[in-house]
Amino acid sequence: MNSTTAPTEGPYAAALAQFDQAADQIDLDPNLREVLRCPKRELTVNFPVEMDDGSITCFTGYRVQHNVTRGPAKGGIRYHPSADLDEVRALAMWMTWKCAVMNLPYGGAKGGVTVDPRTLSRHELENLTRRYATEIIPLMGPDSDIPAPDMGTNMQVMAWIMDTYSMHVGYSVPAVVTGKPVAIGGSEGRERATSRGLLVATQAMLERLGRPVSGTVAIQGAGNVGLNALQLFSEAGFTVVAISDSSGGVYDSTGLAAPRVYKHVSDGGWLADYCEAEHISNAELLALDVDVLAPAAIEGQIHSGNAAKVRANLIVEGANGPVTPEADALLNDRGVVVVPDILANAGGVTVSYYEWVQGMQHFFWSRDEINRLLADHMGRAAQEVWNLAQDRGVNLREAAYQIAVGRVAEATQLRGIYP
Ligand code: NAD
C-alpha cells in the first residue's frame, strides 16, 4: 500500500502514524519500513446468509494478515456495523506489534464482518459465522492463521468456527481458533484474560510510577474486556465508580456493585436501564476525576476534541486504538501516562497463545497455572517497556512500539526478502 492510497483519518491512519513515529525513532532502514508498513494479505468476501424468514442477505467480511514474519497470523474477528477494510487493516497491524511486544511467536491478523450481531437470531448468527468461516478457510489453519474473539464475537462463535473448519478437513482441529469453550479444547482463564492482563499492567505501572496500587477507576465499554475488568479491578481493591456501554453509563462515587452490574449486563440488559446507580453519558465518563481511566470499547474515543477534558492521570487502553495520535500528544504534554493497547490489552492474546500451545499438544494446564503464566508474561513485558521508556526518555507507547517494530524488523532482516 503506497502513500497515495493511505487514509488520512480513522484507525488505519492512526496505526500508520504510530508505526511511522516508531520507525523514525529507531531510524528504521527505509526498505524495512516499506515492508513492515504493508499488510501482507487481504481477503474480502461477500457471502449470502439465509435468514429465519427464508430471505437471503449478503454480508461483507474481511480477513487481513498484516505480517507473518515471526510466526502464524493471530488476531480476533469483529462483528460490528462499522467494520470495514481500513479498520481491519489497522487492527491487524496492531496485532503484529502486540504479539511482538509480548514476544509471542506470532504475526498479526484481524477479521471482521459488517453486521450488528444483536439484530440476528442465534440461528442467523450461526449461519453467518459458518459461512464467513468457510469463506476464509483458504487463510485459516493452526499453523497459518488462528482467529479469536473480538467485539461482537464470543466463545460460541469460536466454537462454530472451530467446528466448521474441522468439518472441512474431516477431523477436529482445536488449535485453529482460540477463545473457544473449555469443553472443546479452550483454555482455563481465557475468557477473563484480557481484563486480567489489563489489571496486571495497571498494577505494574502504578507501582513503577510510585502511586498507590488502588484508587478510583472508570471503564468505558461493558463487554468481554470492560465487564470482566469491572469485576477483577473491584476484587483487587480498586473502587470502580463508573462503567458504560453504547447506551450510556452508570456512576456511583462509593463504587459500583460489581456482581449486580455484571448480572444485569450478562442477562442482556443495557446500562441505560440499570436502576441502582446514577446515569452519566459516555462523554461524562471519559471526563471523570478518577485515578485510572480504562477505555475498553472502540477506537478513537479520546480525540483532540475531548483530550483536554480527561482528568485521570493514568489511562490504560483496554480497547484497541481508543486514543488518537493527536490526543496522545496532548495527553503526553500534560503528563498523563498512557499504557498503550499493544501492552495493556495483550493478556487476551497471551492466554490465546497458551491455549494454542495446549491445543497443539493435547495437554492442558489448570486455571491457576494459566493465571500465573499470564501474570509472569505481562509483568516481564511491562518491565521491558518501562525500562526502555526510562533509558530512552520516551513515553510508554513509544517504548512499546520501539521494542515491537525492532523485533519484527530484526526477524525480517534475518529471514531476508524472498527470492
Ligand atoms: P464486546 O463486543 O464484548 O463489548 C464492547 C462493549 O463496548 C459493549 O459494552 C458495547 O456496548 C460498548 N461500546 C461499543 N461502542 C461504544 C461506544 N461508542 N461508546 C461506549 N461503549 C461502546 O467487545 P470486547 O471484546 O470487550 O472488545 C472491546 C475492545 O477491546 C475492542 O477495542 C477490542 O478490539 C479490544 N480487545 C478485545 C479483546 C478480547 O479478548 N475480547 C482483546 C484485546 C482487545
Side-chain angles (χ1 to χ4, degrees):
M1 162 140 332
N2 62 40
S3 53
T4 52
T5 55
T8 52
E9 56 183 33
Y12 193 41
L16 289 171
Q18 288 162 341
F19 166 70
D20 283 336
Q21 185 189 39
D24 290 343
Q25 288 177 344
I26 63 171
D27 205 12
L28 186 68
D29 177 290
N31 290 322
L32 284 172
R33 184 193 289 249
E34 179 80 7
V35 176
L36 303 194
R37 225 172 174 270
C38 285
K40 179 181 173 64
R41 286 193 186 101
E42 301 183 340
L43 178 63
T44 299
V45 291
N46 299 305
F47 57 95
V49 175
E50 187 174 344
M51 311 304 277
D52 289 346
D53 64 2
S55 66
I56 305 286
T57 303
C58 244
F59 291 89
T60 302
Y62 310 93
R63 185 72 182 169
V64 173
Q65 297 178 349
H66 169 255
N67 190 289
V68 293
T69 310
R70 287 169 42 87
K74 187 85 191 79
I77 289 174
R78 174 173 292 195
Y79 290 173
H80 195 273
S82 67
D84 64 17
L85 187 54
D86 268 351
E87 181 183 66
V88 176
R89 284 174 173 151
L91 291 161
M93 188 184 233
W94 286 326
M95 283 307 297
T96 301
W97 313 137
K98 193 180 298 184
C99 293
V101 82
M102 297 307 288
N103 221 352
L104 299 169
Y106 284 139
K110 207 81 179 191
V113 177
T114 314
V115 60
D116 180 354
R118 290 184 79 126
T119 62
L120 302 181
S121 70
R122 181 184 163 91
H123 183 238
E124 289 167 343
L125 188 65
E126 178 173 354
N127 282 354
L128 176 136
T129 299
R130 288 188 181 277
R131 181 61 191 249
Y132 167 69
T134 305
E135 298 287 348
I136 66 166
I137 275 180
L139 296 187
M140 243 198 306
D143 292 311
S144 56
D145 187 341
I146 307 130
D150 191 73
M151 284 189 79
T153 59
N154 56 22
M155 287 192 159
Q156 177 60 72
V157 171
M158 295 307 114
W160 288 325
I161 294 176
M162 181 272 209
D163 185 69
T164 303
Y165 182 88
S166 300
M167 288 298 117
H168 277 256
V169 296
Y171 50 91
S172 291
V173 188
V176 72
V177 292
T178 59
K180 58 193 172 292
V182 172
I184 54 167
S187 178
E188 294 288 352
R190 173 60 183 87
E191 197 166 14
R192 290 181 146 198
T194 307
S195 316
R196 190 175 293 283
L198 193 68
L199 172 65
V200 173
T202 305
Q203 291 169 321
M205 290 309 172
L206 284 171
E207 240 172 63
R208 284 165 183 78
L209 289 162
R211 299 180 191 169
V213 185
S214 58
T216 51
V217 181
I219 300 170
Q220 186 193 36
N224 175 282
V225 183
L227 201 57
N228 285 308
L230 166 69
Q231 290 232 308
L232 292 171
F233 276 74
S234 303
E235 284 163 20
F238 289 87
T239 307
V240 182
V241 295
I243 189 164
S244 64
D245 60 21
S246 48
S247 74
V250 290
Y251 173 78
D252 185 335
S253 61
T254 63
L256 292 162
R260 298 178 78 83
V261 177
Y262 189 94
K263 181 165 186 332
H264 175 83
V265 176
S266 325
D267 287 349
W270 291 106
L271 286 171
D273 302 323
Y274 183 75
C275 303
E276 297 173 47
E278 202 181 308
H279 287 132
I280 56 170
S281 68
N282 266 289
E284 287 167 332
L285 181 142
L286 296 174
L288 285 174
D289 188 7
V290 285
D291 298 304
V292 180
L293 175 62
I298 197 161
E299 306 92 57
Q301 292 299 297
I302 302 175
H303 46 77
S304 54
N306 64 3
K309 295 193 178 131
V310 170
R311 284 188 284 168
N313 50 24
L314 181 68
I315 297 178
V316 287
E317 295 187 322
N320 288 306
V323 177
T324 66
E326 299 76 27
D328 214 20
L330 295 169
L331 294 165
N332 194 52
D333 290 348
R334 282 175 42 210
V336 178
V337 177
V338 179
V339 187
D341 44 10
I342 60 170
L343 175 69
N345 70 38
V349 71
T350 302
V351 173
S352 274
Y353 163 67
Y354 289 118
E355 178 177 337
W356 177 72
V357 169
Q358 293 171 90
M360 298 294 262
Q361 301 179 120
H362 307 281
F363 177 83
F364 292 87
W365 292 305
S366 70
R367 181 176 300 245
D368 284 350
E369 285 168 316
I370 291 291
N371 288 345
R372 184 178 47 73
L373 286 167
L374 168 60
D376 287 353
H377 210 125
M378 180 57 82
R380 226 170 20 247
Q383 184 69 57
E384 284 175 349
V385 170
W386 176 266
N387 288 350
L388 195 89
Q390 298 301 304
D391 290 351
R392 298 193 182 165
V394 295
N395 66 35
L396 296 175
R397 190 187 310 279
E398 291 167 335
Y401 266 78
Q402 290 183 22
I403 292 171
V405 174
R407 282 181 179 153
V408 183
E410 183 191 2
T412 308
Q413 217 153 17
L414 286 166
R415 287 183 61 163
I417 304 298
Y418 179 86

